[in-house]
Amino acid sequence: MSLKIYTETEPWQDFTAAYLRVREKEGRVLSDAQLLKLPRFEGSEALQKEWQLREDSAKRLLKILNNQYPKKANVLDIGCGNGWFTNSLAGAGFNATGIDVNLPELEQAARVFKHKNVSFVFADVFEWEPEEAFDAVIISAVLQYFPSPKALFKRLFEVNPALKKIYILDTNFYSEAEKPEAKKRSENYYAQHGETAMAQHYHHFSVEDLGKKAKAISSPKPKLMRKLIGGSPFAIIEVSSGH
Protein backbone atom coordinates (compact mmCIF):
# COMPACT_ATOMS: atom_id res chain seq x y z
CA MET A 1 0.00 0.00 0.00
CA SER A 2 1.61 3.27 -1.14
CA LEU A 3 0.35 5.51 1.65
CA LYS A 4 2.48 7.58 4.01
CA ILE A 5 0.98 8.94 7.22
CA TYR A 6 2.82 12.21 7.72
CA THR A 7 1.00 13.63 10.74
CA GLU A 8 -1.51 12.69 13.44
CA THR A 9 -4.83 11.44 12.09
CA GLU A 10 -6.90 12.02 15.23
CA PRO A 11 -7.44 15.80 14.81
CA TRP A 12 -9.12 15.14 11.46
CA GLN A 13 -11.37 12.25 12.49
CA ASP A 14 -14.50 14.28 13.32
CA PHE A 15 -14.29 16.31 10.10
CA THR A 16 -13.68 13.19 8.01
CA ALA A 17 -16.54 11.29 9.64
CA ALA A 18 -19.00 14.15 8.98
CA TYR A 19 -17.71 14.61 5.44
CA LEU A 20 -18.11 10.90 4.67
CA ARG A 21 -21.60 10.76 6.18
CA VAL A 22 -22.67 13.47 3.73
CA ARG A 23 -20.93 11.70 0.82
CA GLU A 24 -22.63 8.44 1.79
CA LYS A 25 -26.05 10.10 1.61
CA GLU A 26 -25.12 11.63 -1.74
CA GLY A 27 -24.03 8.25 -3.13
CA ARG A 28 -20.42 9.35 -3.49
CA VAL A 29 -18.82 6.74 -1.24
CA LEU A 30 -17.83 4.10 -3.79
CA SER A 31 -16.90 0.46 -3.79
CA ASP A 32 -13.45 -0.58 -4.96
CA ALA A 33 -15.00 -1.88 -8.18
CA GLN A 34 -16.74 1.46 -8.86
CA LEU A 35 -13.59 3.39 -8.07
CA LEU A 36 -11.52 1.39 -10.53
CA LYS A 37 -13.84 2.41 -13.36
CA LEU A 38 -13.86 6.16 -12.72
CA PRO A 39 -14.47 8.56 -14.35
CA ARG A 40 -16.92 6.12 -15.92
CA PHE A 41 -19.52 5.93 -13.17
CA GLU A 42 -22.06 3.17 -12.63
CA GLY A 43 -24.85 4.44 -10.42
CA SER A 44 -27.49 7.15 -10.33
CA GLU A 45 -28.18 9.13 -13.49
CA ALA A 46 -27.42 12.43 -11.73
CA LEU A 47 -23.99 11.25 -10.64
CA GLN A 48 -23.33 9.76 -14.06
CA LYS A 49 -23.81 13.23 -15.55
CA GLU A 50 -21.56 14.75 -12.89
CA TRP A 51 -18.79 12.30 -13.67
CA GLN A 52 -19.14 13.02 -17.38
CA LEU A 53 -18.41 16.66 -16.57
CA ARG A 54 -15.43 15.71 -14.43
CA GLU A 55 -14.12 13.47 -17.19
CA ASP A 56 -14.28 16.41 -19.61
CA SER A 57 -12.35 18.64 -17.18
CA ALA A 58 -9.76 15.91 -16.60
CA LYS A 59 -9.18 15.44 -20.32
CA ARG A 60 -8.77 19.19 -20.85
CA LEU A 61 -6.27 19.46 -18.02
CA LEU A 62 -4.29 16.39 -19.06
CA LYS A 63 -3.94 17.88 -22.54
CA ILE A 64 -2.52 21.06 -20.99
CA LEU A 65 -0.14 19.14 -18.76
CA ASN A 66 1.06 16.94 -21.61
CA ASN A 67 1.86 20.06 -23.64
CA GLN A 68 3.71 21.82 -20.82
CA TYR A 69 5.47 19.10 -18.82
CA PRO A 70 7.63 16.09 -19.66
CA LYS A 71 6.64 12.56 -18.76
CA LYS A 72 7.76 11.67 -15.25
CA ALA A 73 7.20 15.25 -14.07
CA ASN A 74 6.15 15.34 -10.41
CA VAL A 75 2.52 16.38 -10.01
CA LEU A 76 0.72 16.91 -6.69
CA ASP A 77 -3.05 16.38 -6.42
CA ILE A 78 -4.38 18.43 -3.48
CA GLY A 79 -7.43 17.00 -1.67
CA CYS A 80 -7.27 13.86 -3.77
CA GLY A 81 -10.01 11.98 -1.89
CA ASN A 82 -10.39 8.49 -3.32
CA GLY A 83 -7.49 9.16 -5.67
CA TRP A 84 -9.20 8.65 -9.02
CA PHE A 85 -7.60 11.72 -10.60
CA THR A 86 -4.21 11.06 -9.00
CA ASN A 87 -4.40 7.68 -10.70
CA SER A 88 -5.33 9.34 -14.01
CA LEU A 89 -2.24 11.55 -13.72
CA ALA A 90 -0.09 8.48 -13.13
CA GLY A 91 -1.72 6.74 -16.08
CA ALA A 92 -0.74 9.71 -18.26
CA GLY A 93 2.91 9.12 -17.32
CA PHE A 94 3.42 11.62 -14.51
CA ASN A 95 4.80 10.84 -11.07
CA ALA A 96 1.59 11.56 -9.18
CA THR A 97 1.15 12.16 -5.46
CA GLY A 98 -2.26 12.59 -3.85
CA ILE A 99 -2.58 14.36 -0.51
CA ASP A 100 -5.62 14.55 1.76
CA VAL A 101 -6.76 14.44 5.39
CA ASN A 102 -9.45 11.85 4.61
CA LEU A 103 -7.81 8.63 5.80
CA PRO A 104 -10.53 6.12 4.81
CA GLU A 105 -10.56 7.26 1.18
CA LEU A 106 -6.76 7.48 1.09
CA GLU A 107 -6.54 3.90 2.31
CA GLN A 108 -8.98 2.86 -0.40
CA ALA A 109 -7.00 4.76 -3.05
CA ALA A 110 -3.73 3.14 -1.99
CA ARG A 111 -5.40 -0.27 -1.99
CA VAL A 112 -7.07 0.08 -5.38
CA PHE A 113 -4.54 1.93 -7.54
CA LYS A 114 -1.35 0.06 -8.37
CA HIS A 115 0.62 2.29 -10.72
CA LYS A 116 4.29 2.32 -9.74
CA ASN A 117 4.32 6.09 -10.16
CA VAL A 118 1.36 6.86 -7.87
CA SER A 119 1.53 7.48 -4.12
CA PHE A 120 -0.65 8.97 -1.40
CA VAL A 121 0.05 11.09 1.67
CA PHE A 122 -2.06 11.79 4.75
CA ALA A 123 -1.08 15.31 5.82
CA ASP A 124 -2.24 18.86 6.37
CA VAL A 125 -0.72 20.70 3.43
CA PHE A 126 0.13 23.62 5.72
CA GLU A 127 2.30 21.34 7.87
CA TRP A 128 3.66 18.94 5.28
CA GLU A 129 7.28 19.27 4.18
CA PRO A 130 7.47 17.24 0.94
CA GLU A 131 10.56 15.17 0.31
CA GLU A 132 10.49 16.00 -3.39
CA ALA A 133 9.91 19.05 -5.57
CA PHE A 134 6.69 19.24 -7.55
CA ASP A 135 6.52 20.61 -11.08
CA ALA A 136 2.76 21.23 -10.98
CA VAL A 137 -0.03 21.22 -8.41
CA ILE A 138 -3.68 20.34 -9.09
CA ILE A 139 -6.62 21.56 -6.99
CA SER A 140 -9.69 19.76 -8.33
CA ALA A 141 -13.13 20.37 -6.78
CA VAL A 142 -11.69 21.03 -3.29
CA LEU A 143 -10.67 24.70 -3.15
CA GLN A 144 -13.88 25.44 -1.24
CA TYR A 145 -12.55 23.51 1.78
CA PHE A 146 -9.69 25.97 2.29
CA PRO A 147 -10.48 29.25 4.09
CA SER A 148 -8.05 31.33 2.02
CA PRO A 149 -6.94 30.53 -1.54
CA LYS A 150 -4.08 33.03 -1.34
CA ALA A 151 -2.77 31.46 1.87
CA LEU A 152 -2.90 28.04 0.23
CA PHE A 153 -1.06 29.24 -2.88
CA LYS A 154 1.55 31.02 -0.75
CA ARG A 155 2.22 27.84 1.20
CA LEU A 156 2.50 25.70 -1.93
CA PHE A 157 4.92 28.04 -3.64
CA GLU A 158 7.00 28.50 -0.48
CA VAL A 159 7.38 24.79 0.21
CA ASN A 160 8.10 24.12 -3.49
CA PRO A 161 10.49 26.92 -4.58
CA ALA A 162 10.76 25.55 -8.13
CA LEU A 163 6.97 25.29 -8.55
CA LYS A 164 5.67 27.56 -11.31
CA LYS A 165 2.00 26.67 -11.80
CA ILE A 166 -1.08 25.62 -9.84
CA TYR A 167 -4.15 24.45 -11.75
CA ILE A 168 -7.73 24.77 -10.44
CA LEU A 169 -10.63 22.89 -11.98
CA ASP A 170 -14.21 21.81 -11.27
CA THR A 171 -14.72 24.79 -8.95
CA ASN A 172 -17.60 27.25 -8.65
CA PHE A 173 -16.84 30.96 -8.32
CA TYR A 174 -19.28 33.70 -7.33
CA SER A 175 -19.56 37.45 -7.56
CA GLU A 176 -19.49 39.33 -4.26
CA ALA A 177 -23.24 39.85 -4.58
CA GLU A 178 -23.81 36.11 -5.05
CA LYS A 179 -21.74 34.94 -2.08
CA PRO A 180 -24.33 35.45 0.73
CA GLU A 181 -26.99 33.44 -1.10
CA ALA A 182 -24.47 30.73 -2.00
CA LYS A 183 -23.46 30.50 1.65
CA LYS A 184 -27.09 30.20 2.69
CA ARG A 185 -27.66 27.38 0.18
CA SER A 186 -24.69 25.49 1.58
CA GLU A 187 -25.91 25.94 5.15
CA ASN A 188 -29.36 24.65 4.17
CA TYR A 189 -27.86 21.73 2.28
CA TYR A 190 -25.76 20.54 5.21
CA ALA A 191 -28.67 21.10 7.61
CA GLN A 192 -30.87 18.87 5.43
CA HIS A 193 -28.17 16.18 5.67
CA GLY A 194 -27.94 16.51 9.44
CA GLU A 195 -24.39 17.89 9.38
CA THR A 196 -24.80 21.60 10.13
CA ALA A 197 -21.17 21.95 11.34
CA MET A 198 -19.90 21.09 7.86
CA ALA A 199 -21.06 24.49 6.56
CA GLN A 200 -18.22 26.21 8.43
CA HIS A 201 -15.72 24.18 6.39
CA TYR A 202 -17.27 25.10 3.02
CA HIS A 203 -16.25 28.47 1.58
CA HIS A 204 -17.36 30.54 -1.40
CA PHE A 205 -14.89 32.49 -3.51
CA SER A 206 -14.83 34.92 -6.39
CA VAL A 207 -12.20 34.73 -9.11
CA GLU A 208 -10.76 37.92 -7.60
CA ASP A 209 -10.10 36.03 -4.36
CA LEU A 210 -7.46 34.02 -6.24
CA GLY A 211 -5.21 37.04 -6.73
CA LYS A 212 -3.64 38.76 -9.71
CA LYS A 213 -1.56 35.74 -10.76
CA ALA A 214 -4.67 33.70 -11.64
CA LYS A 215 -6.07 33.43 -15.16
CA ALA A 216 -8.41 31.14 -17.07
CA ILE A 217 -6.46 29.03 -19.56
CA SER A 218 -9.26 26.74 -20.74
CA SER A 219 -12.78 28.09 -21.01
CA PRO A 220 -15.87 25.87 -21.14
CA LYS A 221 -17.83 25.41 -24.32
CA PRO A 222 -20.76 27.82 -24.79
CA LYS A 223 -23.85 26.79 -22.85
CA LEU A 224 -25.89 25.87 -25.94
CA MET A 225 -23.08 23.66 -27.23
CA ARG A 226 -22.76 21.94 -23.84
CA LYS A 227 -26.48 21.15 -23.96
CA LEU A 228 -25.99 19.49 -27.34
CA ILE A 229 -22.72 17.62 -26.88
CA GLY A 230 -21.94 17.85 -23.17
CA GLY A 231 -18.89 19.20 -21.42
CA SER A 232 -17.90 20.79 -18.13
CA PRO A 233 -19.21 24.30 -17.33
CA PHE A 234 -16.01 25.13 -15.43
CA ALA A 235 -12.97 26.99 -16.64
CA ILE A 236 -9.51 25.68 -15.83
CA ILE A 237 -7.59 28.36 -13.95
CA GLU A 238 -3.84 28.66 -13.77
CA VAL A 239 -2.16 30.39 -10.84
CA SER A 240 1.40 31.47 -11.53
CA SER A 241 4.15 31.81 -8.95
CA GLY A 242 5.34 35.01 -10.62
CA HIS A 243 8.93 33.86 -10.85
Side-chain angles (χ1 to χ4, degrees):
M1 182 179 290
S2 183
L3 170 60
K4 181 177 180 181
I5 309 296
Y6 179 83
T7 188
E8 294 293 327
T9 61
E10 192 277 334
W12 295 98
Q13 288 177 355
D14 289 345
F15 167 79
T16 298
Y19 175 78
L20 288 176
R21 285 194 295 267
V22 174
R23 286 178 64 84
E24 182 76 46
K25 292 173 183 177
E26 294 170 333
R28 290 188 170 91
V29 175
L30 307 181
S31 68
D32 289 3
Q34 287 177 307
L35 180 54
L36 268 172
K37 295 178 180 178
L38 291 182
R40 299 302 169 89
F41 178 74
E42 296 180 357
S44 72
E45 184 177 348
L47 287 181
Q48 284 181 17
K49 291 180 179 179
E50 180 181 303
W51 277 104
Q52 287 169 2
L53 302 184
R54 299 199 70 180
E55 182 178 18
D56 176 69
S57 293
K59 286 180 177 178
R60 287 158 57 203
L61 180 62
L62 286 171
K63 183 177 180 180
I64 291 168
L65 296 179
N66 283 324
N67 287 336
Q68 295 193 13
Y69 299 92
K71 298 298 182 185
K72 303 300 181 183
N74 293 328
V75 181
L76 178 64
D77 185 13
I78 298 282
C80 66
N82 60 29
W84 79 274
F85 191 58
T86 316
N87 184 63
S88 297
L89 292 164
F94 300 109
N95 291 320
T97 300
I99 182 173
D100 209 309
V101 293
N102 181 341
L103 186 57
E105 286 196 322
L106 282 173
E107 290 175 334
Q108 183 185 29
R111 180 176 69 246
V112 168
F113 298 125
K114 303 300 183 183
H115 280 294
K116 292 181 179 179
N117 52 326
V118 67
S119 61
F120 298 95
V121 175
F122 177 97
D124 179 344
V125 71
F126 287 95
E127 299 176 358
W128 184 46
E129 298 284 347
E131 298 173 358
E132 58 189 334
F134 290 98
D135 301 294
V137 172
I138 313 302
I139 304 175
S140 177
V142 294
L143 186 65
Q144 62 270 21
Y145 293 104
F146 292 90
S148 168
K150 290 179 182 177
L152 175 60
F153 304 155
K154 183 174 184 289
R155 170 63 179 174
L156 291 169
F157 287 128
E158 284 180 348
V159 81
N160 293 278
L163 177 65
K164 297 293 193 299
K165 306 289 184 183
I166 297 169
Y167 300 92
I168 301 168
L169 61 157
D170 290 341
T171 301
N172 272 310
F173 293 99
Y174 307 89
S175 69
E176 291 300 323
E178 291 171 332
K179 283 183 182 180
E181 186 60 33
K183 181 180 179 181
K184 187 180 298 183
R185 287 196 301 269
S186 295
E187 290 171 346
N188 291 339
Y189 182 81
Y190 283 118
Q192 290 167 7
H193 285 75
E195 302 291 346
T196 55
M198 279 298 296
Q200 67 183 314
H201 299 291
Y202 196 96
H203 308 279
H204 305 83
F205 303 117
S206 65
V207 172
E208 289 73 22
D209 290 325
L210 304 182
K212 295 180 180 179
K213 299 295 184 180
K215 64 178 181 180
I217 58 170
S218 176
S219 299
K221 301 180 184 72
K223 187 173 182 179
L224 179 58
M225 187 178 296
R226 294 201 309 271
K227 285 185 177 182
L228 294 173
I229 62 175
S232 171
F234 300 113
I236 295 175
I237 295 176
E238 175 189 277
V239 182
S240 171
S241 67
H243 64 265

